[in-house]
Amino acid sequence: MTWTPGNRLTLLRSGAEYFPAMLRAIDEAQRELFLESYLFRNDATGRRVAAALARAARRGVAVQVLLDGFGAGDLAAQQRRAMERAGVRLLFFRPDSFRLHFKRERLRRLHRKLVVVDGNVGFVGGINIIDDRVADLAPRYDYALQVEGPLVADMRAAAAKQWRQTCWRQIKADWSHLPRRPAPPEVVGDTNAQFVRRDNLRHRRDIEAAYVHAIQHARDEIILAHAYFLPGITLRHALLAAAKRRTRVVLLLQGRIDHALLFFATRVLYRPLLAVGVEIYEYRAGYMHAKVAVIDRIWLTVGSSNIDPFSLLTAREANVVARDTFLAGALRDDILRHIEHDAVKVEMGHTRHSVWNRMLAWVAYLMVRVILGLTGYGKKEYRE
């Protein structure tokens, strides 16, 4: 992929910074607005976002909201009706995902978190429409980027294409008519960036390929912060090779059980990674939802894609990749701050747990492989 120059990117740390910026952009929208999310909860945050979308629609903005049929299938009827009455056009991606019989298509989720306003400003990252607070724990740990500049045109094109495809599949052809494509955004900064997405057609491996290429060319340092981490052979070998050539490799991973299957399956990989010098830390202050990386203090990515088979092989995802020393430095500093204050280092001795825990990890890992085998995904990437 080619780099798009002339952008200004702003790092947004968790919902405390993301939602005020995103809501401000929605309130300033004049022509059109696209929003995609996996989750949309009926909590304080969800109600604020729903109200902002409704206000935009009432003042004549064409508002398109696309939510995942599984993740947001339980969207509160009150929220749904309020938005639709205001003129918000609301669709669900694969809304038939609750049938009892298993089909491989059920794994094809809309996992992107994407907002594009008037073709001028966009937001991409891992943050769903949901409160950051979980019980008495620290706020959910995550990132997003605010994007301004020519790259927003790529984001708008991806959102419009997905909207039209969903309209046609659900026989809502009248909804597929969108406002005229806005003029390309002007150059507003000096950051080179790429909008990298994953789908099941032309862009099946784009996000994984971006990671692998950057890791293979890393010289000094690789820092990955991922809530769900279960790389296939290609990406795993790239990390192992980097560590063996004395590149510092740091992993900040989930330290609390969120999705048990991936949580335990990840632990199968600890010993071979630690054996070659990879540093592994587990985030314990609260729930981690980040999907970011910084390499050699200049290359970075922020988005919705985890390094696991379901993100890399099945879900629709979106990341921004950039080369920017200031932005990479800010993201690196924030990750290292969380490692210092909120994480526990995993030592080789810590992997020698009870026979029961080791069995549990291997059972979880084998279950992931069985699921992928049944669906036909990742047969090669996730073999031993």
Side-chain angles (χ1 to χ4, degrees):
M1 295 182 64
T2 58
W3 294 95
T4 301
N7 302 286
R8 179 169 58 228
L9 307 182
T10 305
L11 181 66
L12 303 172
R13 302 163 183 85
S14 296
E17 294 182 359
Y18 171 67
F19 288 114
M22 187 256 280
L23 288 169
R24 184 164 54 251
I26 292 175
D27 283 336
E28 293 174 355
Q30 298 179 6
R31 296 181 64 255
E32 65 169 23
L33 190 156
F34 295 91
L35 184 148
E36 297 178 358
S37 185
Y38 180 69
L39 300 178
F40 199 123
R41 291 285 183 258
N42 183 27
D43 52 25
T45 297
R47 289 189 289 272
R48 285 166 57 206
V49 174
L53 294 169
R55 288 195 302 271
R58 281 195 292 268
R59 65 175 181 268
V61 177
V63 180
Q64 288 76 219
V65 176
L66 181 60
L67 306 177
D68 185 71
F70 180 80
D74 59 350
L75 178 68
Q78 181 181 359
Q79 280 180 302
R80 187 181 307 191
R81 287 195 297 268
M83 286 192 287
E84 291 178 336
R85 282 199 299 265
V88 174
R89 300 197 289 184
L90 176 63
L91 287 178
F92 289 86
F93 181 84
R94 296 191 182 277
D96 60 346
S97 58
F98 297 97
R99 295 177 182 175
L100 295 179
H101 62 277
F102 183 82
K103 296 173 64 177
R104 62 181 285 170
E105 287 79 7
R106 291 184 64 186
L107 294 177
R108 295 180 181 174
R109 307 310 331 160
L110 178 74
H111 198 241
R112 302 194 311 205
K113 291 81 179 176
L114 184 65
V115 178
V116 185
V117 179
D118 288 340
N120 292 320
V121 60
F123 298 86
V124 64
I127 304 175
N128 286 291
I129 310 301
I130 185 173
D131 283 348
D132 271 353
R133 283 286 178 182
V134 181
D136 295 326
L137 302 174
R140 189 178 285 102
Y141 170 37
D142 210 341
Y143 295 98
L145 287 175
Q146 178 174 323
V147 182
E148 299 165 272
L151 191 68
V152 179
D154 294 342
M155 299 168 65
R156 195 264 181 195
K161 181 178 180 180
Q162 187 62 68
W163 176 262
R164 289 193 184 95
Q165 288 178 345
T166 307
C167 286
W168 285 106
R169 286 176 183 147
Q170 298 183 19
I171 318 177
K172 296 196 176 188
D174 56 324
W175 279 28
S176 67
H177 298 292
L178 298 172
R180 189 174 182 178
R181 181 184 302 178
E186 297 181 355
V187 170
V188 295
D190 55 7
T191 298
N192 292 331
Q194 300 172 348
F195 179 67
V196 189
R197 63 190 187 275
R198 196 226 154 261
D199 58 27
N200 289 294
L201 297 171
R202 296 175 56 194
H203 304 282
R204 294 175 63 89
R205 299 270 181 178
D206 287 9
I207 294 177
E208 183 181 24
Y211 267 103
V212 171
H213 182 269
I215 291 169
Q216 288 176 339
H217 290 81
R219 296 182 178 181
D220 300 316
E221 182 183 71
I222 299 167
I223 300 178
L224 306 180
H226 276 266
Y228 312 115
F229 180 81
L230 193 63
I233 287 177
T234 303
L235 212 156
R236 195 186 323 166
H237 284 183
L239 286 172
L240 293 170
K244 289 175 182 177
R245 65 176 183 263
R246 304 302 177 89
T247 299
R248 185 191 184 201
V249 180
V250 179
L251 304 180
L252 177 57
L253 307 178
Q254 181 75 269
R256 293 178 176 272
I257 299 177
D258 186 2
H259 295 284
L261 188 64
L262 288 172
F263 178 87
F264 288 107
T266 295
R267 275 140 186 79
V268 170
L269 306 182
Y270 276 14
R271 287 183 64 81
L273 290 168
L274 291 169
V276 296
V278 174
E279 301 173 38
I280 302 177
Y281 301 86
E282 291 185 339
Y283 181 81
R284 299 286 180 83
Y287 285 100
M288 177 182 178
H289 199 250
K291 310 104 167 46
V292 299
V294 182
I295 296 179
D296 289 344
R297 296 175 172 83
I298 186 170
W299 184 98
L300 71 141
T301 185
V302 176
S304 66
S305 181
N306 293 290
I307 298 181
D308 71 54
F310 303 109
S311 274
L312 292 175
L313 298 175
T314 66
R316 278 166 169 76
E317 305 282 9
N319 279 41
V320 164
V321 173
R323 294 181 62 85
D324 184 303
T325 53
F326 178 81
L327 192 66
L331 178 56
R332 179 182 183 272
D333 289 347
D334 201 63
I335 296 171
L336 293 180
R337 179 177 63 83
H338 282 292
I339 287 175
E340 180 180 358
H341 296 290
D342 303 321
V344 174
K345 188 173 184 179
V346 178
E347 304 285 358
M348 182 64 81
H350 294 174
T351 65
R352 299 190 182 97
H353 296 306
S354 67
V355 173
W356 164 248
N357 284 336
R358 291 199 299 271
M359 287 179 60
L360 184 60
W362 274 104
V363 167
Y365 182 76
L366 292 172
M367 285 180 65
V368 172
R369 292 182 60 191
V370 167
I371 292 171
L372 294 174
L374 288 173
T375 60
Y377 291 115
K379 291 181 179 179
K380 295 180 179 179
E381 278 296 283
Y382 286 84
R383 72 179 187 276
E384 275 301 300

